[in-house]
Amino acid sequence: MSKYFEIRWHGRGGQGAVTGAKSLAECVQGTGQTVVAFPEYGPERRGAPVRAYNRFCKEHIRIHTPVTVPDVVIVIDASLLTLPMVKEGILEHTIFLVNIEKTPDQVRKILGIENRVITIPANELSEKLFGRAIPNSAMLGAFAMACPNIISLEVLLREATHVFSELVGADLVEKNLQAIQLGHDNSHAG
Amino acid sequence: MKHVAGKPKILPITGAGAMAQAMRQINPDVVAAFPITPSTQIVEDFSQFVADGKVDTEFVTVESEHSAMSACIGASAAGGRVMTATSSAGMAYMWELLYVAASMRQPVLMSLVNRALTGPINIHCDHSDSMGARDSGWLQIYSENNQEAYDNLVMAARIAEHDDVRLPIMICQDGFIISHSIQTMQIEDDAAVKAFVGAHKPYHPILDTKNPVTWGALDLQDYYIEHKRGQEQGMKNALRVIEEVSVDFAKKFGRKYNLFETYRIEDAEIVMVAIGSAAGEIKEVIDELRTKGEKVGLLKIRSFRPFPYAQIAKALSHAQIITVLDRSASFGAHGPLFVEITTSVYNYCDNRPLLLSHTYGLGGRELSMQMIEHVFAESRICLDKGEVNGRQGMWLNVRGD
């Protein structure tokens, strides 16, 4: 196992995988860890599968290569679950965090794996809050539920206050904090 | 970015964003730039600083890179501190003017984000753009990560504008790999950076109308070569100045830099030489191989122009095989870094190691840690055999090779 905690995000162009990785890194930075976030570099096409990556570590992070052996796989768009790339390089301990209105068991069946799965209906939650599907903040809350050793909900909410005030402006901070809380409370682990 | 006066800020930021922050802190008199991927964010962020009144800079929105560099040269000759940013084809379009800036001894500061040259069309990282400009008379400083790119740009003005140098400088970082990667780094305090960089001292400025001067005049057989010799002297002096400024930077901000960086080479039998972000992965692999008892190390280039031949030769004087990784190709010849390392070792010390040349990463092709490990293993085989025949000049991770 690498000394780095490594995350691979899967989404479709325009859904916010890159912003999600960036926001998560900015929040985790507040825990004193060294962070890295970067997208898979390629042509930007709305709707096409995209990947983004995070590395977190207590030490300086020297490597820049894409994450090939993820500790966590975050899937923002459930239609990607059938693609082999989602399962690339996973180990027994790899956790899947999936934006879907299904149970962890159902997702395990789709993926054909035994790994730990956290599901979260982030689209539904964000539709209620924002009137459209912008799942990122709820996904962050679910991440804090899945990996409290990396960032606890309490610290996430604190850091997100700063991060979101720069990203979306002060007026939308409160709603995003709510989304984080709801994401945390409504995720299903199994 | 929130800022607390007097304190450095540790934050996650992209390499390009960090360059824009350094530019904001340097607060140059003039910036002339034309945005091009992957250096676009530098120009975007900086133009926002201009619009928000965070800098006093005259921002010249030119219609091309050729004009950008022309405007930079003119503004510099007028007496200003001048900066620009570009990549790849953008710098290629500046080509003619790169030589003019250097020959007019205008210390223009450029943030270059390294990217492949077309064709085939490609926007990703390699060092073809800056390596092609290695004879243009610009100082070239390369960076491994966001922090180094930022630090190098903070040091750039002091080096380029030094009376003994007076040459333009490009601070290079790897396109996308660094420019678009958010990394935790330290942005120093605005006032501390301002104090470190110091005020710009115009040198015979055109705007000093009481003392009229001519810049960029015709210069034929009678004096051209003397002026070129003067450029060469500026480059030679720059070796000392880069070291002096780096020492001062370390005193002020704590991060130490030299003309190049060595990593675990004291007892290394196999030394890899590389430029830019690849050094991070190489260090990681070295640590891994060291636990298995392999005596391996790295020499990472910081200053490519001027090239510190004697210093590098000394650092490599115990290596038994030196494996050089070039991220650009000189078609029909070895890569530019390999040529310099060979010159260095074979002219400035008595050591006669094996020298192995590889080209990698053109157009953004990934250099994985497995590949680096493979190259170290291959270097070991060459060392055991006592020759590199058959492997010399191979390109890494290429289909059909």
Side-chain angles (χ1 to χ4, degrees):
Chain A
M1 212 170 123
S2 156
K3 64 181 170 183
Y4 303 121
F5 186 87
E6 299 179 301
I7 303 171
R8 188 171 67 212
W9 296 68
H10 292 273
R12 292 187 180 276
Q15 286 176 334
V18 176
T19 310
K22 180 175 180 280
S23 310
L24 181 59
E26 287 172 345
C27 291
V28 172
Q29 167 85 38
T31 67
Q33 295 178 74
T34 301
V35 304
V36 164
F38 58 102
E40 168 187 53
Y41 309 117
E44 289 164 30
R45 291 160 300 160
R46 207 167 180 84
V50 294
R51 282 174 284 200
Y53 309 97
N54 283 123
R55 277 193 185 93
F56 305 136
C57 187
K58 292 207 164 56
E59 298 163 36
H60 172 59
I61 299 170
R62 294 189 290 203
I63 57 176
H64 319 93
T65 46
V67 170
T68 50
V69 186
D71 295 292
V72 178
V73 174
I74 301 179
V75 183
I76 296 180
D77 190 307
S79 70
L80 296 169
L81 285 173
T82 53
L83 298 185
M85 63 158 82
V86 172
K87 291 195 285 182
E88 262 172 31
I90 61 165
L91 299 176
E92 258 178 39
H93 77 268
T94 303
I95 300 171
F96 281 80
L97 180 57
V98 185
N99 173 18
I100 194 168
E101 288 180 53
K102 285 191 191 322
T103 65
D105 273 337
Q106 288 173 310
V107 170
R108 261 192 293 273
K109 208 167 179 188
I110 298 170
L111 287 167
I113 54 162
E114 300 293 317
N115 292 55
R116 183 158 189 249
V117 172
I118 317 283
T119 60
I120 165 81
N123 282 354
E124 191 194 6
L125 292 172
S126 64
E127 292 269 12
K128 276 183 198 155
L129 268 173
F130 303 102
R132 60 194 177 103
I134 35 174
N136 261 336
S137 296
M139 295 298 283
L140 291 183
F143 179 82
M145 207 282 271
C147 305
N149 55 323
I150 297 298
I151 189 162
S152 65
L153 178 66
E154 188 191 353
V155 176
L156 176 64
L157 288 169
R158 184 190 75 204
E159 293 303 318
T161 310
H162 309 301
V163 170
F164 281 105
S165 69
E166 293 197 13
L167 187 70
V168 295
D171 46 333
L172 278 172
V173 170
E174 196 49 47
K175 270 197 173 176
N176 277 286
L177 295 181
Q178 276 179 38
I180 289 173
Q181 183 74 50
L182 284 174
H184 178 271
D185 298 346
N186 290 282
S187 48
H188 308 281
Chain B
M1 194 182 73
K2 278 177 210 68
H3 192 81
V4 182
K7 275 193 178 173
K9 189 162 167 66
I10 294 170
L11 76 168
I13 187 169
T14 63
M19 298 315 257
Q21 290 295 335
M23 287 173 75
R24 179 184 59 76
Q25 295 177 316
I26 293 166
N27 192 9
D29 298 300
V30 175
V31 167
F34 188 90
I36 178 169
T37 301
S39 62
T40 311
Q41 194 201 342
I42 302 175
V43 180
E44 273 179 9
D45 282 8
F46 189 77
S47 59
Q48 190 67 53
F49 299 145
V50 174
D52 294 346
K54 297 206 170 136
V55 288
D56 313 311
T57 306
E58 178 80 30
F59 189 92
V60 190
T61 50
V62 285
E63 81 286 5
S64 75
E65 287 87 353
H66 190 277
S67 302
M69 188 46 62
S70 301
C72 285
I73 293 166
S76 179
R81 178 176 277 155
V82 180
M83 300 184 82
T84 190
T86 193
S87 288
S88 179
M91 196 176 72
Y93 196 24
M94 291 178 176
W95 213 259
E96 177 188 4
L97 288 314
L98 292 178
Y99 282 73
V100 177
S103 67
M104 279 172 62
R105 309 296 294 271
Q106 298 303 338
V108 178
L109 315 176
M110 180 198 290
S111 175
L112 181 76
V113 180
N114 284 110
R115 163 185 153 182
L117 286 165
T118 299
I121 299 168
N122 185 296
I123 58 166
H124 293 285
C125 176
D126 69 35
H127 300 151
S128 303
D129 46 8
S130 55
M131 282 299 160
R134 67 191 184 276
D135 298 339
S136 64
W138 283 61
L139 300 154
Q140 290 190 344
I141 307 282
Y142 289 84
S143 324
E144 178 183 328
N145 51 38
N146 300 18
Q147 185 75 59
E148 287 191 14
Y150 168 82
D151 290 350
N152 284 332
L153 195 56
V154 168
M155 282 183 254
R158 290 265 305 266
I159 297 165
E161 295 170 8
H162 193 287
D163 283 344
D164 296 341
V165 178
R166 295 250 353 140
L167 286 169
I169 189 167
M170 58 180 79
I171 303 300
C172 308
Q173 64 173 285
D174 283 354
F176 290 100
I177 302 167
I178 301 305
S179 67
H180 285 54
S181 168
I182 291 168
Q183 299 173 4
T184 301
M185 60 167 285
Q186 183 160 323
I187 301 277
E188 298 298 338
D189 170 55
D190 286 0
V193 171
K194 191 181 173 192
F196 178 83
V197 174
H200 177 63
K201 283 186 298 179
Y203 180 81
H204 297 302
I206 292 171
L207 292 182
D208 180 5
T209 49
K210 283 185 186 142
N211 299 289
V213 288
T214 297
W215 281 104
L218 187 71
D219 191 11
L220 301 177
Q221 303 96 318
D222 47 359
Y223 266 104
Y224 179 90
I225 197 168
E226 279 76 17
H227 284 119
K228 296 318 257 188
R229 178 64 184 83
Q231 275 180 248
E232 173 60 12
Q233 195 57 45
M235 272 287 179
K236 285 197 160 97
N237 297 343
L239 281 176
R240 170 179 54 80
V241 174
I242 293 168
E243 284 189 305
E244 285 171 3
V245 174
S246 303
V247 166
D248 202 34
F249 183 88
K251 270 188 207 154
K252 189 106 186 175
F253 300 114
R255 290 181 294 280
K256 290 189 180 122
Y257 294 97
N258 213 313
L259 294 165
F260 51 89
E261 180 190 335
T262 57
Y263 188 74
R264 306 188 81 164
I265 66 164
E266 294 71 23
D267 63 339
E269 295 163 0
I270 304 169
V271 177
M272 205 172 270
V273 182
I275 296 178
S277 64
E281 276 78 20
I282 296 170
K283 287 173 188 171
E284 198 89 352
V285 172
I286 286 170
D287 285 355
E288 176 70 23
L289 292 176
R290 282 272 175 180
T291 64
K292 297 175 187 163
E294 266 287 7
K295 290 184 173 172
V296 290
L298 165 75
L299 188 145
K300 178 185 89 188
I301 301 297
R302 178 168 175 245
S303 173
F304 189 80
R305 285 292 180 268
F307 198 85
Y309 291 103
Q311 294 89 333
I312 284 181
K314 196 173 169 209
L316 294 175
S317 61
H318 301 295
Q320 294 176 24
I321 180 166
I322 299 164
T323 303
V324 182
L325 302 186
D326 267 285
R327 199 163 194 157
S328 66
S330 178
F331 298 99
H334 283 297
L337 180 57
F338 181 76
V339 173
E340 301 299 13
I341 293 296
T342 305
T343 303
S344 186
V345 170
Y346 273 69
N347 288 284
Y348 295 84
C349 75
D350 298 326
N351 187 23
R352 291 292 173 266
L354 290 173
L355 284 152
L356 182 57
S357 157
H358 284 316
T359 301
Y360 78 102
L362 300 192
R365 175 62 53 86
E366 185 191 334
L367 181 69
S368 66
M369 292 202 281
Q370 289 82 350
M371 181 56 68
I372 294 164
E373 215 173 319
H374 167 79
V375 174
F376 272 123
E378 176 208 33
S379 304
R380 169 58 64 189
I381 293 168
C382 292
L383 186 55
D384 290 346
K385 282 190 183 165
E387 47 102 8
V388 298
N389 292 352
R391 297 169 192 273
Q392 190 63 281
M394 270 174 59
W395 289 32
L396 302 176
N397 196 14
V398 177
R399 288 184 188 87
D401 235 10

